[in-house]
Amino acid sequence: MELGDCGSKCAFRCSKAQEHDRCLEYCGICCKTCNCVPSGTFGNKDECPCYRDLKNSKGQDKCP
């Protein structure tokens, strides 16, 4: 996946998020780190183990 794909994939991933801008920011970080974004607007994180397993400093899921 090319990095240019992150924008469109994250736009779809975050399309139903309440905090849209925050979702896009973190999805973008995760996409650049992992080179993938799970399909759909929620869940499906098993499609991308790197994306699924990234945690923030509090040990919570980093990626939306």
Side-chain angles (χ1 to χ4, degrees):
M1 182 172 85
E2 296 178 27
L3 289 180
D5 291 342
C6 287
S8 60
K9 289 187 180 290
C10 286
F12 181 75
R13 181 80 179 169
C14 295
S15 62
K16 294 183 180 177
Q18 287 183 339
E19 295 186 36
H20 191 255
D21 291 342
R22 188 167 168 221
C23 180
L24 286 174
E25 178 184 355
Y26 284 100
C27 180
I29 292 168
C30 296
C31 179
K32 287 175 184 153
T33 301
C34 297
N35 293 317
C36 66
V37 175
S39 63
T41 56
F42 185 79
N44 301 320
K45 289 186 178 181
D46 287 341
E47 294 175 2
C48 184
C50 169
Y51 189 101
R52 177 193 67 209
D53 296 340
L54 282 179
K55 304 293 182 194
N56 64 18
S57 60
K58 296 176 183 173
Q60 298 167 323
D61 288 346
K62 181 174 189 127
C63 307

